[in-house]
Amino acid sequence: MATVPEAPQPSRKQGYTYGLDGFTVNKIHRADPARLRYLLLPQLTQGVRAKKAAEEEAKRIIKKPWTVAQLHHYGIKTNSKVTADGARDLLSRSVAGGLKQSNEHRVFESTRVAREFNALDTPTAQAQYSIDMFLRRYFLDENGKPEQSKTREPVALPGFDNRAQMHAAVEPIPGLVSESGGDGRERTVVVGWRDTGVGRVAGQIKREQRSMQEHTAKAAWDQLRRKHEDFAKLSKTPDANETFSFSNAWGQYIIKCEAADDYNDLDQTSKLRLRITKGKDGWYGIFDFGILSGIMLLGKSPEDVTFRVHQQQVGPRSDERDSESDEESDEHDIPTKKRNAPPKRSEAQPSKRLKKSASPGGVIYLQWRGQETGEKVIQVDPSNKNIGKLVFSDNTGMTFHGTASMSFLGSKVRFQGYKISGLGGPVTRSWDQYSKAAYERARVARWR
């Protein structure tokens, strides 16, 4: 390990203070000349990305207290009434003309920086401390020139959180390249010489991350399946003479849906749910499929569901009706104004004893409304195509296979449900919540 000279004792001199944390003026450290040039004269920075990064960082850092402190650090005289623009202009001109730092500053800062940097034992920690020092340590010679013999293999920096600045710093160095691999918080920057496999290492990081995510997602799903199996063991054995009813489906189901998983992150695949529960006017399904969520109206037949949809439209919340005028609308955007004739009561009226009503063959029919959860766009259904059914394996209601037309997910989306609880919970969403009026309010709000 490199020998680091002892740091000077903390003291005060000429209006500023210094100690093991460096010189400060009003608790603001001195920026070295290269740093000042980077922030105050970004037009001189090489590389498009580097120039943009410098401009954005300058907007964040350069304020009057910081500028005045730098003037004081470098012994540039100014008066107390100087404006923010005046102080910045004075400092910029001084930087352009060449700054001189005191020998005391230079010795102290180099001692402190060397001590702190050499104490760091990983490339990531070193890059977090100073990108410039990291690059000098692994890729540059004493004069700041490229030296490929120093580090022949790419260096990965897991956990390094300033990737944009690293890419910008690497860009102007001849032969040196950087790439990022992986996604989200695990995204990792890799730095190395061209033709040494930087892209290969970045790709491997992404594959390993994906493999880990798949393993974690599978473990989470397996745990939920065990929960389902434990719950099923506690349920009664199916009675061949007992018909399936809505009460058998009452509860919460975990959902497996490949069509939704194509849109969801891996950590969402074990979070898809459907709650089947009873409201004042019938049975509902509250669903969360990750990319898509909403509410289902449930019935013992397609006619039953159609009647319930009609009842929702002509119910007491008249301000939320899907159609009140003869104006036309885009079928692919918002509901049409025309109202379908209500089904005859004799054909579609739901039983007043829904809990006792049997679904032939263990089938529950549905129509849904909802929204895409990314941009919160309500998926309107002007042609009443958002329909489907749940086919239960037996009269215990433990499992089902579902098929439904689900907007952008597809017209014949298949999904499976496995019950993990007999508690359906309250009806926490409403049909009106995803109506044409709600769509219009959300659309207007997005453009404000």
Side-chain angles (χ1 to χ4, degrees), residues 305 366-368 381 384-389 403-406 411:
V305 175
L366 65 91
Q367 185 164 334
W368 67 272
D381 182 26
N384 291 315
K385 293 181 178 179
N386 292 346
I387 58 176
K389 61 183 179 180
T403 306
S405 176
M406 303 196 76
S411 60

Side-chain angles (χ1 to χ4, degrees), residues 5 27-28 49 80 91 97 99 108 114 144 202 223 237 248 262 272 281 344 448:
K27 298 183 179 181
I28 298 174
R49 286 196 298 181
S80 60
L91 185 59
L99 289 173
F108 184 89
Q223 184 177 7
T237 303
N248 299 119
D262 289 340
L272 278 57
D281 58 343
K344 295 180 180 179
R448 286 179 176 173

Side-chain angles (χ1 to χ4, degrees), residues 63-75:
K63 310 295 180 185
K64 182 178 178 180
W66 181 88
T67 309
V68 171
Q70 301 308 317
L71 291 171
H72 188 81
H73 276 302
Y74 285 93

